[in-house]
Coordinates of all heavy atoms in Angstrom, one line a residue:
D11 N 36.2 10.3 -13.8 CA 35.7 9.0 -13.4 C 35.6 8.0 -14.5 O 36.0 6.8 -14.4 CB 34.3 9.1 -12.7 CG 34.4 9.8 -11.4 OD1 35.5 9.9 -10.8 OD2 33.3 10.3 -10.9
I12 N 35.1 8.5 -15.7 CA 35.0 7.7 -16.9 C 36.4 7.2 -17.3 O 36.6 6.0 -17.7 CB 34.3 8.4 -18.0 CG1 32.8 8.7 -17.6 CG2 34.4 7.6 -19.3 CD1 32.1 9.5 -18.6
I13 N 37.4 8.1 -17.3 CA 38.7 7.8 -17.8 C 39.4 6.8 -16.8 O 40.1 5.9 -17.2 CB 39.5 9.1 -18.0 CG1 38.9 9.9 -19.2 CG2 41.0 8.7 -18.4 CD1 39.5 11.3 -19.3
N14 N 39.4 7.2 -15.5 CA 40.2 6.5 -14.6 C 39.5 5.4 -13.8 O 40.2 4.5 -13.3 CB 40.8 7.5 -13.6 CG 41.6 8.6 -14.3 OD1 42.4 8.3 -15.2 ND2 41.5 9.8 -13.9
E15 N 38.2 5.5 -13.5 CA 37.6 4.6 -12.6 C 36.6 3.7 -13.2 O 36.4 2.6 -12.7 CB 36.9 5.4 -11.5 CG 37.8 6.3 -10.7 CD 37.1 7.0 -9.6 OE1 35.9 6.7 -9.3 OE2 37.7 8.0 -9.0
R16 N 36.0 4.1 -14.4 CA 35.0 3.2 -15.0 C 35.7 2.1 -15.7 O 36.5 2.3 -16.7 CB 34.1 4.0 -16.0 CG 33.3 5.0 -15.3 CD 32.3 4.4 -14.3 NE 31.5 5.4 -13.6 CZ 30.7 5.2 -12.6 NH1 30.5 3.9 -12.2 NH2 30.0 6.1 -12.0
T17 N 35.5 0.9 -15.3 CA 36.2 -0.3 -15.9 C 35.2 -1.2 -16.7 O 35.7 -2.1 -17.3 CB 36.9 -1.1 -14.8 OG1 35.9 -1.6 -13.9 CG2 37.9 -0.3 -14.1
K18 N 33.9 -0.9 -16.7 CA 33.0 -1.7 -17.4 C 32.0 -0.8 -18.2 O 31.7 0.3 -17.8 CB 32.1 -2.5 -16.4 CG 32.8 -3.5 -15.6 CD 31.9 -4.3 -14.7 CE 32.6 -5.3 -13.9 NZ 31.7 -6.0 -12.9
F19 N 31.6 -1.3 -19.4 CA 30.6 -0.6 -20.2 C 29.2 -0.8 -19.6 O 28.4 0.1 -19.7 CB 30.7 -1.1 -21.6 CG 30.1 -0.2 -22.6 CD1 30.9 0.7 -23.3 CD2 28.7 -0.1 -22.9 CE1 30.4 1.6 -24.2 CE2 28.2 0.8 -23.8 CZ 29.0 1.7 -24.4
G20 N 29.0 -1.9 -18.9 CA 27.7 -2.1 -18.3 C 27.8 -3.5 -17.6 O 28.9 -4.0 -17.4
K21 N 26.7 -4.0 -17.2 CA 26.6 -5.3 -16.5 C 25.7 -6.2 -17.3 O 24.6 -5.9 -17.6 CB 26.1 -5.0 -15.1 CG 26.0 -6.3 -14.2 CD 25.4 -6.0 -12.9 CE 25.3 -7.2 -12.0 NZ 24.8 -6.9 -10.7
V22 N 26.2 -7.4 -17.5 CA 25.3 -8.4 -18.1 C 24.4 -9.0 -17.1 O 24.8 -9.4 -16.0 CB 26.2 -9.5 -18.7 CG1 25.3 -10.6 -19.3 CG2 27.1 -9.0 -19.8
V23 N 23.1 -9.0 -17.4 CA 22.1 -9.4 -16.5 C 21.4 -10.6 -17.1 O 20.9 -10.6 -18.2 CB 21.0 -8.3 -16.1 CG1 19.9 -8.9 -15.2 CG2 21.7 -7.1 -15.5
V24 N 21.3 -11.7 -16.4 CA 20.6 -12.9 -16.8 C 19.5 -13.2 -15.8 O 19.8 -13.4 -14.6 CB 21.5 -14.1 -17.0 CG1 20.7 -15.4 -17.4 CG2 22.6 -13.8 -18.0
H25 N 18.3 -13.2 -16.2 CA 17.2 -13.5 -15.3 C 16.1 -14.4 -15.9 O 16.0 -14.4 -17.2 CB 16.6 -12.3 -14.7 CG 15.9 -11.4 -15.7 ND1 16.5 -10.5 -16.4 CD2 14.6 -11.4 -16.1 CE1 15.7 -9.9 -17.2 NE2 14.5 -10.4 -17.1
A26 N 15.4 -15.1 -15.1 CA 14.4 -16.0 -15.7 C 13.0 -15.3 -15.5 O 12.7 -14.8 -14.5 CB 14.4 -17.3 -14.9
M27 N 12.3 -15.3 -16.6 CA 10.9 -14.8 -16.6 C 9.9 -15.9 -16.6 O 10.1 -17.0 -17.2 CB 10.7 -13.9 -17.9 CG 11.6 -12.7 -18.0 SD 11.3 -11.8 -19.5 CE 9.7 -11.3 -19.3
P28 N 8.7 -15.7 -16.0 CA 7.7 -16.7 -16.0 C 7.3 -17.1 -17.4 O 7.2 -16.3 -18.3 CB 6.6 -16.1 -15.2 CG 7.2 -15.0 -14.4 CD 8.3 -14.5 -15.2
S29 N 7.1 -18.4 -17.6 CA 6.8 -18.9 -18.9 C 5.3 -18.5 -19.3 O 4.4 -18.6 -18.4 CB 6.9 -20.4 -19.0 OG 6.5 -20.9 -20.2
K30 N 5.1 -18.2 -20.5 CA 3.8 -17.9 -21.0 C 3.2 -19.1 -21.9 O 2.2 -19.0 -22.6 CB 3.7 -16.6 -21.9 CG 4.0 -15.4 -21.0 CD 3.8 -14.1 -21.9 CE 4.0 -12.9 -21.1 NZ 3.8 -11.6 -21.9
L31 N 3.9 -20.2 -21.8 CA 3.6 -21.4 -22.6 C 2.2 -21.9 -22.1 O 2.0 -22.3 -20.9 CB 4.7 -22.4 -22.5 CG 4.7 -23.5 -23.5 CD1 4.9 -23.0 -24.9 CD2 5.8 -24.5 -23.2
A32 N 1.3 -22.1 -23.0 CA 0.0 -22.6 -22.7 C -0.1 -24.1 -23.0 O -0.2 -24.5 -24.2 CB -1.1 -21.8 -23.4
L33 N 0.0 -24.9 -22.0 CA -0.1 -26.4 -22.2 C -1.5 -26.9 -22.1 O -2.3 -26.3 -21.4 CB 0.8 -27.1 -21.2 CG 2.3 -26.7 -21.2 CD1 3.1 -27.4 -20.2 CD2 2.9 -26.9 -22.6
K34 N -1.8 -28.0 -22.8 CA -3.2 -28.5 -22.8 C -3.4 -29.4 -21.6 O -2.6 -30.2 -21.3 CB -3.4 -29.3 -24.1 CG -3.3 -28.4 -25.4 CD -3.5 -29.3 -26.6 CE -3.4 -28.5 -27.8 NZ -3.6 -29.3 -29.1
S35 N -4.5 -29.2 -21.0 CA -5.0 -30.1 -19.9 C -6.5 -30.0 -19.8 O -7.0 -29.1 -19.2 CB -4.3 -29.7 -18.5 OG -4.8 -30.5 -17.5
R36 N -7.1 -31.0 -20.4 CA -8.6 -30.9 -20.6 C -9.3 -30.8 -19.3 O -10.2 -30.0 -19.0 CB -9.1 -32.1 -21.4 CG -8.7 -32.1 -22.8 CD -9.4 -33.2 -23.6 NE -9.0 -34.5 -23.0 CZ -9.7 -35.6 -23.2 NH1 -10.8 -35.6 -24.0 NH2 -9.3 -36.7 -22.7
T37 N -8.9 -31.6 -18.3 CA -9.6 -31.7 -17.0 C -9.4 -30.3 -16.3 O -10.4 -29.7 -15.8 CB -9.1 -32.8 -16.2 OG1 -9.2 -34.0 -16.9 CG2 -9.9 -32.9 -14.8
L38 N -8.2 -29.9 -16.2 CA -7.9 -28.6 -15.5 C -8.6 -27.5 -16.3 O -9.2 -26.6 -15.7 CB -6.4 -28.4 -15.5 CG -6.0 -27.0 -14.8 CD1 -6.4 -27.0 -13.4 CD2 -4.5 -26.9 -14.9
G39 N -8.5 -27.5 -17.6 CA -9.1 -26.4 -18.4 C -10.6 -26.3 -18.2 O -11.2 -25.3 -18.1
Q40 N -11.3 -27.5 -18.2 CA -12.7 -27.5 -18.0 C -13.1 -27.0 -16.6 O -14.1 -26.2 -16.5 CB -13.2 -28.9 -18.2 CG -13.2 -29.3 -19.7 CD -13.5 -30.8 -19.9 OE1 -13.6 -31.5 -18.9 NE2 -13.5 -31.3 -21.1
A41 N -12.3 -27.4 -15.6 CA -12.6 -26.9 -14.3 C -12.5 -25.4 -14.2 O -13.3 -24.7 -13.6 CB -11.7 -27.6 -13.3
Q42 N -11.4 -24.9 -14.8 CA -11.3 -23.4 -14.8 C -12.4 -22.7 -15.5 O -12.9 -21.7 -15.1 CB -9.9 -23.0 -15.4 CG -8.7 -23.4 -14.6 CD -7.4 -23.1 -15.3 OE1 -7.4 -23.0 -16.5 NE2 -6.4 -22.9 -14.5
M43 N -12.8 -23.3 -16.7 CA -13.9 -22.6 -17.4 C -15.2 -22.6 -16.6 O -15.9 -21.6 -16.6 CB -14.1 -23.4 -18.7 CG -15.1 -22.7 -19.7 SD -14.5 -21.1 -20.2 CE -13.2 -21.6 -21.3
I44 N -15.5 -23.7 -16.0 CA -16.7 -23.7 -15.2 C -16.6 -22.7 -14.0 O -17.6 -22.0 -13.8 CB -16.9 -25.2 -14.6 CG1 -17.2 -26.2 -15.7 CG2 -18.0 -25.2 -13.5 CD1 -17.2 -27.6 -15.3
K45 N -15.4 -22.6 -13.4 CA -15.3 -21.6 -12.3 C -15.4 -20.2 -12.8 O -16.2 -19.4 -12.2 CB -13.9 -21.8 -11.7 CG -13.7 -20.9 -10.5 CD -12.3 -21.2 -9.9 CE -12.0 -20.3 -8.7 NZ -10.6 -20.6 -8.2
V46 N -14.8 -19.9 -13.9 CA -14.9 -18.5 -14.4 C -16.3 -18.2 -14.8 O -16.8 -17.1 -14.5 CB -13.9 -18.3 -15.6 CG1 -14.2 -17.0 -16.3 CG2 -12.5 -18.4 -15.1
N47 N -17.0 -19.1 -15.6 CA -18.3 -18.8 -16.0 C -19.3 -18.6 -14.8 O -20.2 -17.8 -14.9 CB -18.8 -19.9 -16.9 CG -18.2 -19.9 -18.3 OD1 -17.6 -18.8 -18.6 ND2 -18.2 -21.0 -19.0
A48 N -19.1 -19.4 -13.8 CA -20.0 -19.3 -12.7 C -19.8 -18.0 -12.0 O -20.8 -17.3 -11.6 CB -19.7 -20.5 -11.7
K49 N -18.6 -17.5 -11.8 CA -18.3 -16.2 -11.2 C -18.9 -15.1 -12.0 O -19.5 -14.2 -11.5 CB -16.8 -16.0 -10.9 CG -16.3 -16.9 -9.8 CD -14.8 -16.6 -9.6 CE -14.6 -15.2 -9.0 NZ -13.2 -15.0 -8.7
S50 N -18.6 -15.2 -13.4 CA -19.0 -14.0 -14.2 C -20.5 -13.8 -14.3 O -20.9 -12.7 -14.4 CB -18.3 -14.2 -15.6 OG -18.9 -15.4 -16.3
K51 N -21.2 -14.9 -14.3 CA -22.7 -14.8 -14.4 C -23.2 -14.0 -13.2 O -24.0 -13.1 -13.3 CB -23.3 -16.2 -14.5 CG -23.2 -16.8 -15.8 CD -23.8 -18.2 -15.9 CE -23.6 -18.9 -17.2 NZ -24.2 -20.2 -17.2
S52 N -22.7 -14.4 -12.0 CA -23.2 -13.7 -10.8 C -22.7 -12.3 -10.7 O -23.3 -11.4 -10.3 CB -22.9 -14.5 -9.6 OG -21.5 -14.7 -9.4
S53 N -21.4 -12.1 -11.1 CA -20.8 -10.8 -11.0 C -21.5 -9.8 -11.9 O -21.7 -8.7 -11.5 CB -19.3 -10.9 -11.3 OG -19.1 -11.2 -12.7

């Protein structure tokens, strides 16, 4: 099979991964901080 049938060494795969880039947004960040702190105190 390797000699006669295998025509490729492998397959090139291109895929998109979710970005881990942390962008600044003071309003959104403050809202998230308030939400997390409120949950963690009660939890």
Side-chain angles (χ1 to χ4, degrees):
D11 291 344
I12 293 174
I13 296 170
N14 299 322
E15 297 182 16
R16 297 296 176 187
T17 58
K18 294 181 179 180
F19 202 92
K21 181 181 179 182
V22 176
V23 178
V24 179
H25 64 274
M27 297 177 64
S29 175
K30 291 186 177 181
L31 197 61
L33 302 179
K34 296 178 181 178
S35 177
R36 288 187 300 163
T37 304
L38 177 61
Q40 290 169 356
Q42 288 176 336
M43 185 64 71
I44 292 170
K45 182 179 179 182
V46 169
N47 286 343
K49 288 183 70 177
S50 63
K51 286 180 182 178
S52 62
S53 67

